[in-house]
Amino acid sequence: MRFPRSCGTLVHPTSFPGKYGIGDFGQEARIFLDFLEETEQSIWQVLPLTPTGYGNSPYASYSAFAGNPYLISPDILLEKGLLTASETHSLIIPSSTTVAYELAFEKKAAALNLASARFYETLGGDEEEKFERFKLEHGHWLDDYVLFMAVGKSNQMRPWNTWDADIATRKKSAISKAKKTYEQEIKLEYWLQYEFLNQWLALKEYANGKGIRVIGDIPIFVDHNSADVWANTEYFAVDKKGNRTLVAGVPPDYFSETGQLWGNPQYQWGALEKDGYSWWVKRFKHMFLTCDAIRVDHFRGFDAYWEIPASEKTAINGRWVKGPGEKLFDTILQECGELPILAEDLGFVTEGVEKLRDKYAFPGMKIIQFAFDADPNNSFLPHNYPQNCVVYSGTHDNDTSRGWYEQAPEHERHFARTYTQSDGTQINWAFIRLGMLSVGDQAIFPMQDFMDLSTEHRMNFPGTSSDNWLWRYTTEMLQEIDRDKIRGLVQLGNRSIKKM
């Protein structure tokens, strides 16, 4: 599927301002969408919206389908009568440019319990029909997830293969007993997912009403400590006790002598194929319900993936294994119709990856920060872009553009100044201009670059497990953005929302 010439902003909902220590789906999210409309942008790109596990990473989740309950807005719960004004007031945390995860989770958990109890007390009529329909339509993942979370919380969210053996291996008697033991906890988890989806779809509708498309993010691998692996062990490389046997990562390269050992369990692609890739089809259908398009993370893993024995301490002793490739995407195409997918094709891209990407006309990614090694043939230089691509100044895994420039080697800084015909003092705007005026169909920029922020405001440092995913902006920071400048570049690059 080809996308129209357009542009937008990359920012995760946790980065929105607000009173409750973490961004959410409330009024500040709508103010951000108003900003996009005012500047004539038509894309909002987010990171995975799933429940975060270790390190609060959206790429390490307890579920590939569920939503993060801490994105639920207390103010919307107040409007619905599920919380009182004094209760929402007690949740207030002083505003900051970092997410207060622990304090926000602690305060919100108690409030969400209260709201859930009130929801069930007043449940009836059309709302009850809607709730039951939600549980029925999403039962293929939801029923396992709510039980997983109820049992998991009673086990301090330790990996499920360390639980009591009977429930870890899903013996029928243990499942039946757990459903009775954790009845109230399960009810809470059902409501949390119902409320999350209602608030998210209302926000997405607000965006779509302004001509703004939402691009979601689907990681190729899932976390071992997830409802997906616990409930579908036949699809993953785990033994009878649930221990990982083969895990994911990438081999040694220029950036790391030992490669990267991610630790996610590998897929049993043979079992998935025999089942018609039903789990993947359901996953994509769910993503297309919640988003207008999807960025597929680590796309190259569908062509070939680096498989490492789980006993290894580094990623060195792995091997390349052929992925499902066209068989998977042909099946998804048949089941879902058109595929509005963006392929994250960064890193070492083989001919096979390009062939798979191009067969379905998936646009790849071009990162302007990667362009300035002084090679005029560098594929990240805008004069080398194909039309069917998505241009970024940087992504959530990169430094801010200002931070990149301040720390880059001088020969790269010199080439960047020469290429942009600038003195480097506003390199963020120089990169935004390059992206806007490039031939690439889409151009997307991190919010930090519109705000000319330095390294301390970057979202993630790949390869590290702490102090990531923390960045938030303030209301004042959004107000101070030069909107006329953005609008002028949008119009100059023929990317305006008004031409669609």
Side-chain angles (χ1 to χ4, degrees):
M1 170 181 182
R2 290 294 293 271
F3 296 87
R5 188 169 175 81
S6 50
C7 65
T9 299
L10 167 62
V11 63
H12 197 52
T14 56
S15 296
F16 292 146
K19 301 174 288 186
Y20 304 116
I22 183 172
D24 58 39
F25 296 154
Q27 183 60 25
E28 294 292 348
R30 285 159 176 76
I31 290 172
F32 162 73
L33 291 169
D34 294 343
F35 155 76
L36 291 186
E37 181 184 38
E38 185 182 341
T39 52
E40 301 183 17
Q41 300 182 69
S42 55
I43 296 172
W44 174 25
Q45 183 174 331
V46 299
L47 308 182
L49 297 169
T50 46
T52 54
Y54 178 71
N56 300 307
S57 169
Y59 294 91
S61 177
Y62 296 126
S63 171
F65 293 84
N68 185 344
Y70 296 108
L71 295 175
I72 291 173
S73 165
D75 290 333
I76 294 176
L77 297 179
L78 173 63
E79 292 170 11
K80 292 182 176 182
L82 297 176
L83 288 178
T84 66
S86 62
E87 287 164 350
T88 56
H89 186 77
S90 71
L91 301 178
I92 292 175
I93 297 171
S95 183
S96 170
T97 53
T98 56
V99 179
Y101 280 111
E102 290 188 17
L103 185 56
F105 288 179
E106 180 184 333
K107 286 175 172 280
K108 274 195 167 184
L112 292 170
N113 268 291
L114 275 173
S116 174
R118 289 180 183 134
F119 170 80
Y120 283 108
E121 286 169 6
T122 59
L123 186 60
D126 291 344
E127 188 69 25
E128 185 169 12
E129 284 185 24
K130 186 181 174 187
F131 183 50
E132 292 302 322
R133 188 164 60 249
F134 161 78
K135 291 197 290 183
L136 186 64
E137 290 175 356
H138 296 272
H140 65 90
W141 64 267
L142 181 61
D143 295 338
D144 289 320
Y145 169 77
V146 297
L147 182 59
F148 173 87
M149 291 302 292
V151 178
K153 287 179 179 179
S154 75
N155 284 275
Q156 293 74 51
M157 294 312 296
R158 294 195 311 270
W160 59 268
N161 58 322
T162 67
W163 300 349
D164 178 80
D166 286 353
I167 190 67
T169 55
R170 294 177 60 85
K171 285 190 176 178
K172 286 187 178 180
S173 58
I175 294 286
S176 297
K177 182 181 178 181
K179 286 180 177 178
K180 293 176 183 175
T181 302
Y182 301 108
E183 181 181 3
Q184 293 306 311
E185 291 85 351
I186 287 169
K187 286 178 68 177
L188 168 65
E189 298 297 335
Y190 272 126
W191 173 76
L192 288 172
Q193 291 307 306
Y194 178 67
E195 183 62 26
F196 171 93
L197 192 62
N198 285 338
Q199 288 199 15
W200 170 248
L201 291 180
L203 185 60
K204 178 177 175 292
E205 184 179 5
Y206 185 83
N208 293 163
K210 295 176 174 293
I212 297 165
R213 290 176 295 133
V214 179
I215 297 179
D217 194 313
I218 187 168
I220 179 175
F221 295 112
V222 299
D223 201 78
H224 173 252
N225 193 25
S226 66
D228 310 285
V229 181
W230 176 65
N232 303 282
T233 52
E234 68 275 19
Y235 295 152
F236 298 91
V238 296
D239 63 21
K240 290 182 179 180
K241 293 183 178 180
N243 302 309
R244 289 165 286 189
T245 57
L246 297 167
V247 297
V250 290
D253 57 16
Y254 174 81
F255 300 102
S256 172
E257 293 181 357
T258 58
Q260 294 181 39
L261 185 67
W262 296 336
N264 310 75
Q266 289 285 2
Y267 291 102
Q268 300 281 37
W269 284 111
L272 284 158
E273 181 182 2
K274 187 181 294 186
D275 197 25
Y277 299 110
S278 61
W279 183 85
W280 271 101
V281 168
K282 290 171 184 173
R283 191 179 182 192
F284 270 93
K285 282 185 174 180
H286 185 75
M287 286 295 296
F288 289 135
L289 165 70
T290 56
C291 300
D292 301 301
I294 307 169
R295 170 191 178 269
V296 177
D297 193 41
H298 196 60
F299 180 78
R300 74 144 302 152
F302 292 106
D303 176 62
Y305 54 89
W306 190 246
E307 179 181 273
I308 310 154
S311 58
E312 292 291 326
K313 302 300 182 186
T314 73
I316 293 174
N317 295 318
R319 62 171 188 150
W320 285 111
V321 180
K322 186 65 179 172
E326 296 179 8
K327 289 186 290 187
L328 172 64
F329 286 102
D330 283 347
T331 303
I332 295 170
L333 182 63
Q334 182 179 345
E335 294 289 334
C336 297
E338 64 181 13
L339 298 180
I341 285 174
L342 321 178
E344 188 273 286
D345 57 349
L346 305 174
F348 181 65
V349 179
T350 65
E351 185 178 340
V353 176
E354 292 178 344
K355 182 180 177 183
L356 182 64
R357 178 197 66 202
D358 295 344
K359 175 181 176 179
Y360 305 95
F362 296 155
M365 293 174 57
K366 299 297 181 184
I367 312 299
I368 293 173
Q369 289 181 23
F370 295 170
F372 303 106
D373 61 358
D375 179 0
N377 294 312
N378 185 320
S379 65
F380 294 104
L381 282 168
H383 66 258
N384 292 322
Y385 293 168
Q387 185 178 343
N388 189 32
C389 74
V390 190
V391 185
Y392 295 84
S393 50
T395 74
H396 63 277
D397 281 335
N398 300 120
D399 204 339
T400 66
S401 289
R402 177 177 160 189
W404 172 87
Y405 182 78
E406 289 173 348
Q407 299 180 58
E410 176 53 30
H411 70 275
E412 292 190 25
R413 288 154 50 101
H414 175 74
F415 189 21
R417 291 192 297 269
T418 302
Y419 195 87
T420 59
Q421 290 290 285
S422 70
D423 62 5
T425 55
Q426 288 193 315
I427 202 68
N428 59 311
W429 286 111
F431 284 5
I432 291 168
R433 180 183 175 87
L434 282 182
M436 288 288 194
L437 301 187
S438 75
V439 71
D441 282 336
Q442 289 83 49
I444 300 174
F445 307 97
M447 178 65 93
Q448 293 95 317
D449 282 357
F450 285 128
M451 294 176 171
D452 190 20
L453 298 178
S454 57
T455 297
E456 65 183 298
H457 296 274
R458 72 180 287 177
M459 192 63 163
N460 182 42
F461 292 80
T464 65
S465 57
S466 60
D467 297 325
N468 292 316
W469 321 109
L470 292 171
W471 181 70
R472 296 178 81 192
Y473 63 84
T474 65
T475 301
E476 293 73 26
M477 289 163 72
L478 184 65
Q479 291 171 342
E480 290 168 4
I481 290 179
D482 191 335
R483 300 177 188 216
D484 290 338
K485 193 167 191 172
I486 297 174
R487 194 184 306 110
L489 288 170
V490 171
Q491 293 172 354
L492 187 63
N494 192 29
R495 298 182 186 275
S496 174
I497 197 173
K498 294 186 175 180
K499 70 178 177 62
M500 297 178 189

